[in-house]
Amino acid sequence: MKAVWKEYTLNAESIEQISSSVQEYMKELGEDTRSIQRNRLLVEELLLRIRDAYETEITLSVMIGRHLGRHVFKISYEGSAFDPTVSEGEDDVLLETIGLAPSWGFRKNVNTVSMTISGRAKRGRLFKILLAIVLAGLFGYLGTFLPKEVRTGIDDNFILPVMSCFLGLLSTFAGFMIALTISSGVLGIGDMSALSKIGKKVILRFVFITFLTSLVALAIAYFFFSFSSDSAGQGASFQLKGVLTMFFNIVPNNPVDPFMTGNALQIIVIGLFVGVGLLALGEKTKLVRDFVNEGASLTQWLTTSVCSVVPFFVFVALLHQVWSDRVALLLSLWRPILVTAGVTVSWVILMLIYVSIRTKCSPIKILKKILPVYVFATSTGSSLMAFTLGMDTCREKLGVDESYVKFAYPMGNVVYMQGTVVYLTVISLFFADAYHINVSLVWFAVAVVSAALLSIAVPPIPGAAIMLFTVLFAQLGIPEDAIVLAITMDIIMDFVDTGINVMMLIMEVTNGARSMKRLDYDVLRS
């Protein structure tokens, strides 16, 4: 649906027209009734605030449509600076950071307000990738009737250069995306006061459980794969030294090398330091903070743009795999998918039992309340689309305090991705087995840390996980050929992971509220 700008004179009649247009647009997208109503009311509230802020009628330019990969509502109006997104007692900094709350800007006497009204885009991407896989299989088979010299010529002069170009794009943007996303996420906390009061505890809980999840996933998945070891003759003290060296080297010698070498751990450290530093300095660094936030939005848009050509890359890369007689490796992808599913289900059950014991509430009752959100998130493949339903479930069905939900859920939607960390850990082990990578205690430690930190760093946008494969595999010494296989697996795992991420987040928000005495047990057990 093409975005079109229209002009309105702001009054009661035009407010009704604009909000109705948003409602109709969202209905055409197939959004759920709850999200449609919430967005309509939000649009009406914004317009009423703008109308009441000025003494005379003003002219609004309104746009409803798809822009930069998202369905958005935008308005602009001339006049003195007025931010209609801010009201007393409300703080939507985190929601704004991930594009779920209206954002306001002012430049050259023009106010601009924008908000995302839908993130629905993944199903079209899924169809295109599935079509690419089918066509790759068909052309791969037909190619067997061509002389070997012809296939080799096509492979060397077209397919391999295309693959190299795409992988170069991933490598170029992946590091910047991770660093800016981390920095922008930290800035989204608001200020050091918010970080100290509640943010620190919430974030530490998220990070601790994410690392624990990665470690548990490795411990279980280890027994389903076989590995080549480079530690023969090396004692435990040597292995321990290697692990300590890895942690000491997590701080880069300069800010450039990590991006050139794809060192994921050092890139994340840079993003974290920049974010915390800017947060501590506050408004003194407003210009730099705006640059970081806009940079994060830009890299996410670039990521979406790069991922738009993924179907073509999948086609040529799978064709290369078929013509290189690597069909057996393609057919073995059921192993990591099955292992990931087994580990994830086991972890969900354990966490459900743990939350049930801590809250003294039946696990069946908790599961029934969470299940509708899980089904919706899995069917849409988007945590952003399930955002409203997840927030409402925490508040209305599980009894989590409003103020805690408003901070913990948006933050968790960005950094707490339990399904993703399991998936990243398992595919690391699978490809180490498939490509006979020499592993050691240090390698396993790097795998756990990298999978955990990268799952935290990935922004909640369609296709962003694809960018992680480049950085993760470079960190672990896995060949670039594995990226196409990981992308192929991601078609299935992306939908499953999204549902698991949302489900686990709701459980952790509930348990976190319990530990901070912000849980209404009467609502939870009702």
Side-chain angles (χ1 to χ4, degrees):
M1 301 176 195
K2 188 177 180 180
V4 178
W5 286 92
K6 292 184 179 180
E7 288 194 351
Y8 297 86
T9 299
L10 189 57
N11 51 40
E13 183 180 353
S14 62
I15 290 175
E16 175 63 25
Q17 291 175 350
I18 295 168
S19 58
S20 296
S21 298
V22 171
Q23 177 175 300
E24 292 303 316
Y25 184 86
M26 294 185 69
K27 282 183 178 179
E28 290 182 25
L29 294 176
E31 296 291 333
D32 64 290
T33 304
R34 190 189 302 250
S35 296
I36 292 173
Q37 188 63 22
R38 180 182 289 264
N39 277 284
R40 173 169 181 156
L41 291 174
L42 180 54
V43 168
E44 288 179 350
E45 179 66 22
L46 289 171
L47 296 175
L48 286 170
R49 291 179 188 175
I50 295 172
R51 185 195 65 179
D52 296 341
Y54 297 95
E55 296 179 355
T56 59
E57 286 189 344
I58 64 171
T59 300
L60 278 182
S61 293
V62 179
M63 186 272 281
I64 306 171
R66 188 166 180 173
H67 181 64
L68 300 182
R70 288 186 176 184
H71 298 280
V72 298
F73 166 76
K74 285 190 174 185
I75 54 178
S76 66
Y77 50 97
E78 293 186 0
S80 58
F82 171 70
D83 183 359
T85 68
V86 175
S87 62
E88 188 176 352
E90 294 185 1
D91 183 8
D92 290 326
V93 178
L94 280 171
L95 296 179
E96 184 178 320
T97 300
I98 60 176
L100 291 174
S103 60
W104 170 79
F106 179 76
R107 187 178 181 185
K108 295 182 178 179
N109 204 42
V110 175
N111 295 266
T112 304
V113 179
S114 63
M115 58 181 279
T116 300
I117 55 177
S118 173
R120 189 182 293 272
K122 191 170 287 188
R123 291 192 177 186
R125 184 170 61 91
L126 173 65
F127 172 77
K128 291 176 182 178
I129 294 179
L130 289 175
L131 179 62
I133 293 174
V134 172
L135 291 177
L138 177 62
F139 278 83
Y141 171 73
L142 294 176
T144 58
F145 296 99
L146 295 173
K148 185 176 181 181
E149 295 78 10
V150 174
R151 293 202 310 269
T152 302
I154 296 174
D155 200 37
D156 291 342
N157 297 303
F158 177 72
I159 293 179
L160 290 178
V162 167
M163 290 176 59
S164 178
C165 178
F166 182 81
L167 294 174
L169 284 173
L170 290 182
S171 300
T172 299
F173 297 125
F176 292 107
M177 181 198 74
I178 292 170
L180 289 170
T181 299
I182 288 286
S183 297
S184 181
V186 173
L187 291 174
I189 295 172
D191 52 48
M192 292 301 290
S193 169
L195 178 63
S196 300
K197 288 179 182 178
I198 187 173
K200 185 164 56 177
K201 292 181 180 179
V202 173
I203 294 171
L204 287 177
R205 287 181 64 93
F206 286 155
V207 172
F208 172 76
I209 297 175
T210 298
F211 273 88
L212 180 62
T213 301
S214 183
L215 188 60
V216 170
L218 184 141
I220 297 174
Y222 176 85
F223 297 99
F224 294 91
F225 305 106
S226 58
F227 304 99
S228 304
S229 175
D230 66 353
S231 58
Q234 297 175 352
S237 61
F238 183 90
Q239 294 286 301
L240 178 60
K241 180 181 178 181
V243 174
L244 292 175
T245 300
M246 177 198 74
F247 281 103
F248 290 144
N249 288 339
I250 201 170
V251 178
N253 293 324
N254 62 71
V256 178
D257 281 349
F259 296 95
M260 295 183 65
T261 60
N263 191 313
L265 305 184
Q266 293 183 347
I267 290 172
I268 290 171
V269 167
I270 290 175
L272 186 62
F273 281 171
V274 170
V276 172
L278 293 175
L279 196 67
L281 292 172
E283 290 301 315
K284 297 177 182 178
T285 58
K286 186 179 184 305
L287 184 62
V288 180
R289 291 169 65 147
D290 290 343
F291 172 80
V292 169
N293 286 326
E294 292 300 325
S297 298
L298 174 61
T299 55
Q300 289 178 18
W301 175 79
L302 290 172
T303 298
T304 303
S305 300
V306 171
C307 291
S308 66
V309 299
V310 162
F312 180 68
F313 170 72
V314 169
F315 168 74
V316 296
L318 286 180
L319 190 60
H320 171 71
Q321 295 282 333
V322 173
W323 285 357
S324 301
D325 296 323
R326 297 178 183 175
V327 177
L329 186 57
L330 285 171
L331 296 178
S332 68
L333 293 182
W334 65 268
R335 292 175 61 205
I337 292 174
L338 194 60
V339 172
T340 299
V343 173
T344 302
V345 170
S346 301
W347 193 235
V348 167
I349 292 173
L350 287 173
M351 292 299 292
L352 181 61
I353 294 173
Y354 175 75
V355 173
S356 172
I357 293 173
R358 300 294 288 175
T359 59
K360 296 182 174 61
C361 181
S362 165
I364 302 300
K365 184 171 291 186
I366 296 174
L367 184 61
K368 283 182 177 179
K369 294 183 176 185
I370 297 176
L371 204 55
V373 192
Y374 168 77
V375 172
F376 184 73
T378 302
S379 63
T380 60
S382 172
S383 61
L384 294 182
M385 291 183 65
F387 186 88
T388 300
L389 185 58
M391 291 271 286
D392 290 344
T393 298
C394 288
R395 282 189 300 251
E396 300 169 8
K397 295 184 178 182
L398 298 172
V400 180
D401 179 72
E402 171 81 17
S403 61
Y404 186 82
V405 171
K406 286 187 66 175
F407 180 89
Y409 196 93
M411 176 59 71
N413 194 67
V414 177
V415 305
Y416 192 73
M417 300 188 181
Q418 299 297 282
T420 302
V421 70
V422 170
Y423 172 50
L424 292 177
T425 304
V426 172
I427 65 169
S428 298
L429 299 183
F430 168 71
F431 286 123
D433 177 8
Y435 286 93
H436 308 292
I437 304 297
N438 289 330
V439 301
S440 63
L441 180 61
V442 177
W443 190 93
F444 287 123
V446 172
V448 168
V449 174
S450 298
L453 292 178
L454 287 173
S455 72
I456 292 171
V458 61
I461 59 174
I466 293 173
M467 305 291 281
L468 300 186
F469 301 142
T470 304
V471 178
L472 178 64
F473 294 166
Q475 189 77 35
L476 298 176
I478 297 172
E480 288 184 338
D481 286 352
I483 293 176
V484 65
L485 301 177
I487 292 175
T488 304
M489 291 169 56
D490 189 61
I491 298 168
I492 299 173
M493 300 310 301
D494 201 11
F495 282 82
V496 177
D497 284 349
T498 300
I500 295 298
N501 289 339
V502 172
M503 188 180 191
M504 295 289 279
L505 172 59
I506 293 174
M507 286 196 286
E508 172 50 30
V509 168
T510 304
N511 190 46
R514 175 205 59 81
S515 68
M516 301 185 72
K517 296 181 172 53
R518 298 188 179 214
L519 186 65
D520 187 332
Y521 289 94
D522 292 334
V523 175
L524 175 66
R525 296 166 184 164
S526 62

